[in-house]
């Protein structure tokens, strides 16, 4: 009987062992099943657990974390398409290219944070350095920005604020939601529309010598339309009189004082920060310090993040840990400018001089363009 009892206890022990193995396998199977269906992607993780930059982003990539919507690759090798609908259908960049989905095929379920209306907007100016500024800001852990240009306050205002809010990335408490659309600065209706959303919105304007800005603007357009007339034929109403054609957008955008007057009817000057496009190239850390102070952010973005790319002629972000290369603006940035007759450039400088001085007075900053 003693031996019989031993056998019973031995068999009972084997049964318990098999049951334990069975339940362990069930738990493992259930875990993998939920992970494959995306459940695990919504589990809480540390904010910095996946911080890094996408090497294929337009400029230096955007900050990525498990709490963010998957950042789009800003300059994919895709064919150009004309903007025909709002960004919720096909998000597009200012040059008409689509903002593609992330390269990873793994579905990501992002349910953390809240979609909020922007507390700060980079409102201008085109070809001033707005893309560089946005991408420098996106490495700050407390900044979340929509990568494409939503053009809500100039093109898609009729879609409503809820549509606009849904475009924005999710943010946690303490993070700032931002976007940038340079055409807002020159859009007559934009100031009142932004104020209707929130008259406390902080506004950032990146400005650049209006003459070099106009040439850069023309260069970008010429790259898309090689048959474009010469710069001088577009800038001058009549070559003999030398009168400047202010109806040409490349010239009109540079009338910063005129556009700022429109905005000051709805926002006090204290709500604006004017960033020098030239200093954003020569001293990116210094300008970024001013921007971070203006936004009420800790100075995280500093000298250690930048190096100067001699080939492109502007600063790039150093590669983050684990990345194989640094990130700079795409091929569309830093194009060589066409040769413009010196007398045409001088006429433009003379034309802009009184507008520049007026802008210096209004903004309280001398940008030294004369």
């Amino acid at each position: 009987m003693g031996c019989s009892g031993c056998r019973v206890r031995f068999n009972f022990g084997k049964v318990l062992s098999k049951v334990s193995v069975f339940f362990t396998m069930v738990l493992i199977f259930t875990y993998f099943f939920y992970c494959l269906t995306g459940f695990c992607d919504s589990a809480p993780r540390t904010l910095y657990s996946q911080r890094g930059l996408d090497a294929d982003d337009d400029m230096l990539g955007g900050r990525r974390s498990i709490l963010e919507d998957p950042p789009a690759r800003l300059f994919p090798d895709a064919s150009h398409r004309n903007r025909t609908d709002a960004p919720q259908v096909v998000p597009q960049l200012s040059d008409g290219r689509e903002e593609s989905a992330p390269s990873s095929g793994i579905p990501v379920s992002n349910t953390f944070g809240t979609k909020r209306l922007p507390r700060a907007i980079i409102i201008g100016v085109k070809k001033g350095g707005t893309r560089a500024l946005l991408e420098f800001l996106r490495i700050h852990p407390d900044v979340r920005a929509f990568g494409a240009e939503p053009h809500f306050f100039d093109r898609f205002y009729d879609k409503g604020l809820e549509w606009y809010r849904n475009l924005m990335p999710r943010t946690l408490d303490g993070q700032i939601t931002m976007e940038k659309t340079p055409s807002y600065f020159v859009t007559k209706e934009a100031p009142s529309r932004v104020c209707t959303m929130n008259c406390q919105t902080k506004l950032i304007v990146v400005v650049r010598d209006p003459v070099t800005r106009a040439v850069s603007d023309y260069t970008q357009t010429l790259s898309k339309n090689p048959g474009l007339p010469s710069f001088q034929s577009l800038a001058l109403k009549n070559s003999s009189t030398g009168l400047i054609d202010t109806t040409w957008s490349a010239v009109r955008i540079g009338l910063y004082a005129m556009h700022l007057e429109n905005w000051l009817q709805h926002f006090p000057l204290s709500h604006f920060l004017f960033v020098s496009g030239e200093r954003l190239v020569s001293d990116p850390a210094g300008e970024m310090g001013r921007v971070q102070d203006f936004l009420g952010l800790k100075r995280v973005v500093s000298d250690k993040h930048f190096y100067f790319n001699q080939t492109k002629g502007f600063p790039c972000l150093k590669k983050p840990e684990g990345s194989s290369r640094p990130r700079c603006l795409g091929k569309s940035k830093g194009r060589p400018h066409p040769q413009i007759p010196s007398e045409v450039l001088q006429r433009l400088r003379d034309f802009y001089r009184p507008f520049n001085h007026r802008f210096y007075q209004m903004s309280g900053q001398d940008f030294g363009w004369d």
Side-chain angles (χ1 to χ4, degrees):
M1 288 184 64
C3 292
S4 177
C6 288
R7 285 195 298 273
V8 170
R9 286 193 296 272
F10 179 75
N11 290 335
F12 182 72
K14 291 179 67 178
V15 170
L16 283 177
S17 177
K18 290 181 178 179
V19 170
S20 298
V21 171
F22 173 78
F23 278 106
T24 301
M25 294 300 294
V26 169
L27 287 173
I28 293 174
F29 175 81
T30 303
Y31 174 80
F32 279 108
F33 173 80
Y34 277 99
C35 281
L36 289 173
T37 56
F39 179 83
C40 293
D41 287 328
S42 62
R45 305 188 195 183
T46 306
L47 174 63
Y48 300 100
S49 63
Q50 289 192 5
R51 185 179 177 188
L53 302 177
D54 184 348
D56 290 331
D57 275 358
D58 164 38
M59 179 173 190
L60 323 164
R63 182 181 58 84
R64 299 183 65 186
S65 78
I66 195 63
L67 300 174
E68 298 182 52
D69 291 327
R73 296 193 304 172
L74 299 178
F75 283 94
D77 293 325
S79 59
H80 290 236
R81 300 184 185 179
N82 292 325
R83 182 187 298 273
T84 57
D85 202 353
Q88 71 176 36
V89 179
V90 182
Q92 293 180 328
L93 302 170
S94 60
D95 61 4
R97 283 176 288 184
E98 297 177 4
E99 184 177 46
S100 68
S103 57
S104 171
I106 301 174
V108 177
S109 174
N110 181 5
T111 59
F112 284 85
T114 303
K115 288 179 176 287
R116 298 180 173 92
L117 292 169
R119 287 170 51 193
I121 304 176
I122 301 172
I123 60 173
V125 299
K126 180 183 179 185
K127 305 308 294 180
T130 59
R131 172 57 58 185
L133 176 60
L134 183 71
E135 296 307 331
F136 291 162
L137 274 171
R138 290 176 78 186
I139 69 173
H140 197 294
D142 292 331
V143 172
R144 294 287 287 110
F146 184 61
E149 294 175 4
H151 285 280
F152 174 65
F153 295 106
D154 58 350
R155 299 181 187 175
F156 303 120
Y157 191 67
D158 60 335
K159 292 184 177 293
L161 283 172
E162 186 63 17
W163 175 88
Y164 181 52
R165 185 181 68 82
N166 284 329
L167 289 179
M168 297 300 118
R170 295 180 183 275
T171 55
L172 301 177
D173 291 342
Q175 290 183 314
I176 294 178
T177 302
M178 293 188 66
E179 68 112 324
K180 78 106 177 172
T181 305
S183 55
Y184 290 163
F185 189 59
V186 299
T187 300
K188 184 178 180 181
E189 300 80 11
S192 62
R193 291 172 175 178
V194 174
C195 190
T196 297
M197 176 188 73
N198 184 1
C199 286
Q200 300 304 312
T201 303
K202 293 187 175 183
L203 307 167
I204 301 177
V205 187
V206 188
V207 290
R208 180 184 182 189
D209 183 332
V211 177
T212 55
R213 196 223 65 83
V215 175
S216 180
D217 196 340
Y218 171 79
T219 303
Q220 182 183 52
T221 306
L222 184 64
S223 69
K224 302 173 190 176
N225 182 11
L228 197 68
S230 67
F231 179 90
Q232 50 267 38
S233 65
L234 294 170
L236 303 178
K237 288 183 178 180
N238 187 300
S239 57
S240 59
T241 61
L243 292 176
I244 303 299
D245 189 352
T246 57
T247 63
W248 186 31
S249 64
V251 168
R252 190 172 181 82
I253 289 173
L255 301 175
Y256 303 143
M258 181 184 72
H259 304 305
L260 181 57
E261 284 178 352
N262 186 33
W263 281 87
L264 289 176
Q265 293 178 24
H266 302 273
F267 291 90
L269 187 63
S270 60
H271 282 40
F272 293 84
L273 178 69
F274 302 96
V275 175
S276 166
E278 288 85 4
R279 287 197 294 269
L280 199 58
V281 172
S282 63
D283 181 20
E287 284 300 280
M288 288 305 300
R290 295 179 60 242
V291 174
Q292 290 169 97
D293 291 346
F294 175 71
L295 295 175
L297 298 169
K298 181 179 179 180
R299 287 198 176 194
V300 172
V301 185
S302 62
D303 277 321
K304 67 182 181 182
H305 291 95
F306 301 99
Y307 80 96
F308 191 82
N309 186 306
Q310 296 290 346
T311 302
K312 287 181 172 290
F314 48 72
C316 300
L317 288 178
K318 294 178 181 178
K319 64 180 181 180
E321 186 176 350
S323 175
S324 60
R325 58 178 178 174
R327 280 158 306 280
C328 288
L329 284 164
K331 295 178 181 178
S332 64
K333 306 298 181 179
R335 299 185 187 96
H337 289 178
Q339 290 294 322
I340 310 295
S342 58
E343 59 271 18
V344 175
L345 296 178
Q346 188 58 51
R347 286 185 184 276
L348 272 176
R349 290 191 185 96
D350 294 340
F351 167 76
Y352 278 123
R353 187 170 293 109
F355 293 99
N356 290 344
H357 283 282
R358 174 62 178 151
F359 180 65
Y360 298 165
Q361 294 172 350
M362 295 172 69
S363 65
Q365 293 178 235
D366 185 339
F367 292 89
W369 295 324
D370 299 315

